Amino acid sequence: MVSRQTVPNIVFVQPDGSCEAHVGESGRSIMDCAVDNGVPGIRAQCGGGCTCSTCHGFVDEAWFDRVGAPVYDEADILDFVPGRRVTSRLTCQIVIRDDLDGIVIHVPPPE
């Protein structure tokens, strides 16, 4: 019997409602997936160091409980993000796992 390996897909929704899906690599971050695929609006200027907010995104409400709320440095950084929502996360801090296959991330509108 051949086992089926899950390949997590990440769906990015732009402010205008357009969507794009990309294959993510388990163990890497959602920010990495966005940067690798040139997703507009996820700039990731600090490269995933959790020192800026340029990878900010809104986790779709249907997925937020599975991802969880921000903690520590991430929560502190998000305190200063304009337009922050309850489901705001820094995508550099969300590690891709097989159970996140199909997760939806909404890209915030430009500031």
Side-chain angles (χ1 to χ4, degrees):
M1 179 153 106
V2 176
S3 65
R4 181 181 174 269
Q5 184 177 6
T6 303
V7 180
N9 284 290
I10 315 300
V11 178
F12 296 94
V13 180
Q14 291 295 325
D16 67 2
S18 63
C19 299
E20 57 185 283
H22 298 287
V23 174
E25 183 180 333
S26 291
R28 295 187 73 208
S29 72
I30 288 179
M31 179 211 74
D32 290 327
C33 179
V35 170
D36 290 350
N37 291 286
V39 174
I42 304 290
R43 295 183 311 275
Q45 290 175 326
C46 76
C50 194
T51 60
C52 73
S53 62
T54 60
C55 70
H56 172 235
F58 307 120
V59 176
D60 193 86
E61 290 180 11
W63 290 92
F64 192 73
D65 285 342
R66 194 172 305 175
V67 172
V71 295
Y72 308 118
D73 292 340
E74 180 186 4
D76 291 341
I77 290 169
L78 286 169
D79 281 342
F80 298 99
V81 172
R84 180 184 182 179
R85 298 180 188 169
V86 173
T87 61
S88 286
R89 290 293 309 266
L90 299 180
T91 59
C92 69
Q93 298 301 296
I94 304 172
V95 177
I96 299 170
R97 310 180 310 254
D98 290 346
D99 70 321
L100 296 181
D101 181 34
I103 189 170
V104 177
I105 303 294
H106 298 269
V107 177
E111 297 174 9

